[in-house]
Amino acid sequence: MSIKYSIITPIYNAEMHVEKFTEHVINVLKQFPQIEWIIVDDGSQDKTKEIIQEKLMPLTLPVQLHGLEQNRGPGTARNFAIDNAIGDWLLFVDSDDTLCLDGLGQLLLFNSSPHGADIISFCWSDSKSDQIKLKKDRSSLVKEKTDMLSDYLALKMDGSVIFSAVQKDLIKKNNILFSAGYHEDVDFLFKLYWKCRDLTFLDERVYIKNSRDNSIVNSISTKHVYGFFRAFDEMWKLLEAEGQNLKFQDAFHNGLIALVATRIRNTKLLAKVERQKMKEILLTLRDELTRRLPTGFEFNQTQYHQITKTLLSFNTLDSTSQQQMLLDEVNNLSVKTWSCKDLEHSLFLAPDQVRACCKRFFINNEIRGDVVLIDNIQANVSIEDIQKAKKALKTELNSGESTACDGCPYLEFKQWDKSNMDYIKYLSLEHHSVCNLKCSYCSEKYYGGKKPTYDLMQLLDSTAGRAYLYNCETIIWGGGEPSLGREFDTLLPTLLAQAPTAIQRVLTNSIKYSDTLFQCLDNPNVRIVTSIDAGTDHTFEKIRGKSKLNETLQNLAKYAKKKPENITIKYILRNDNSSHEEIQSYLDKVTKGNIFELSCFQISCDFNSECLTDQVVFAATMIFGGLRTRGHNNVFFDDLLIARLATIDNDQLYRVKSKLALYGFDNYLADPEKNQKIILWGTGWQAKFLVERSLFFNKANIEFFIIDQEYKNSEKFMGYPVYTPEKAASSALPIIIAASQSYQQIKNQLTKYNIPESRLFDKVIF
């Protein structure tokens, strides 16, 4: 049988493991006669070559053994082997690694059929867990060539040639050579990718890598650093020669930064190095990078950029304390990534989409948000599909690529739990847009009559779906009118059983009375949220599309007879429903007869508006104060309104305050000039948003933050102490709940810790 493959192995001073290597060579060649093995001894000073001669050469196997007089590195040895190879295809195998025989057989079988490729990339595994198939750059390998090359330059792909089979003609015709020194694979493989006509991927485990502690990937020295920068210089020379350097310069610069960041991010490896050598390594990284980056280069906010920028901020690294300070800062950054609460913990199911969030924000007066994970679903979608899409978006977000999340104020750079993608805490069911109203602030997305293009029950009631939902804390029934969905009457009880501890918030317009919903109110976790958005029937019809205000209030009253504390009445403020007369009429209706005395009142605004008018701010304050003075204590602004209120400046505050004073409502407003001590309950984005942007916190003194023990992962937040609720109980300071979605749950905690409700801050803050 003719030789199809030549396996190439450079070897040097491998006396300790060479017998095991020769056994593997014999095993492979006996099973696959269409393979030859070329071994090049790179000037070994021990008995490596003699042992190979003794074990292999007496056998009648297709083995070539060559010896170089001096040690010149694996690149030179590989070049020598390529010149002597008989096979049409080349595999590069290191002497302490092995091939998976089943995978190798699949590779040979794959190559027996025409495919047109001149590079075949395949999977591998680590010897410590050799049944796990690895290939982290498979998504890059299937991209268009330009995008794949950009990923490679940006160090998003594996730079090891050992995980590819290469046509010998591709190397010989283009005169591609390995360089001497360290990391010779990096530029060699890039040149192969650049010149190849076609690249294909074989989803089989062919290679088993032995991760030695002293291997190149597990070692660091100035020689390693210079070797990597040399590889980048070689790639840049090719780009310049091809006139493509400007096209790829952003990816190239990101690759240089990733090179530096990944070297110093491994602080455990650096810590093993003697102090003077560590200094040399760090200064070499800094100086070599500075020489290659353009003057005035702007770093972005991704982890690699921030780590590299931290290194550049150190002028000297002479002392142990300076080096430790750098390592501490790098350690702090290395565990942080960009993400958000929704991407980590939430799921939004639309009629033909899966979304990552329902947040909206503005960039240059253009509304953004409602970020889509999976679009145009035509068949069933799986939990695995959703998890994969979430991870892909997070990867893009942290690689500096443009995403739909760019500019979102809800993004946070912090340490996220690695298990977050395994389950959800928040599920939003927007799976159909069947509705009996057409609200003026809404869109066809929610009333267009679309039905789901996938089987919702199959998704959520599958084994994976039940596991994904089991620890869910909140399920929102939104989209169109939930009770009009054909599966509502069966799905609500099903999800109550599947997610037994989750709060089920049904966002119903309450025009249609649902007996299923009424019966499910026996479960304390079922909540009803209904928007009124008007105080008169005329305005209700104008805002919501039908003259149904009285019917809505009557149905809400029926629900409230069973569980008033589980009813939330919402008001979405706009210019056309926020007059003094309209708000006064609304207050009169919802407080009449004390039907809703124990209910919650949520105050919101139109998400389509980037800024709040004076009238809307006035109305929000009037509703809040009006309800509180009438004895309704469960009143809160939602996260959308809080985010808009935090953008108010002193001029608008003065105008609103003046108007409130005309009606005697100015006492509802907190004085931003008053130096007041307070406690904030909550350590999420909303608390951060309030403290950083609200005028009130220019003067207010935060004593400390409060968070439940199960969510407490730090002793400080924004520089202030973080305590559990017991600490609030021992204080007399007023408390601001800085987590609107959890307002009712936090309020319920007050009784548990014997904190009187009078401690809640009862003024509107801007």
Side-chain angles (χ1 to χ4, degrees), residues 481-499:
E481 171 53 52
S483 64
L484 296 180
R486 61 189 177 187
E487 68 292 294
F488 178 78
D489 292 337
T490 55
L491 187 57
L492 177 56
T494 298
L495 292 184
L496 283 170
Q498 279 184 219

Side-chain angles (χ1 to χ4, degrees), residues 490-554:
T490 55
L491 187 57
L492 177 56
T494 298
L495 292 184
L496 283 170
Q498 279 184 219
T501 61
I503 301 298
Q504 306 258 353
R505 296 173 63 220
V506 182
L507 309 187
T508 171
N509 57 41
S510 292
I511 288 177
K512 174 182 178 289
Y513 175 78
S514 168
D515 188 61
T516 297
L517 188 51
F518 180 80
Q519 297 302 328
C520 285
L521 279 171
D522 287 328
N523 187 311
N525 288 337
V526 175
R527 313 288 168 81
I528 291 174
V529 181
T530 296
S531 281
I532 300 295
D533 309 334
T536 63
D537 204 56
H538 171 74
T539 301
F540 190 92
E541 182 177 10
K542 182 173 65 173
I543 296 291
R544 313 219 68 193
K546 288 183 181 178
S547 178
K548 296 286 184 178
L549 176 58
N550 290 332
E551 290 90 332
T552 300
L553 289 170
Q554 288 168 8

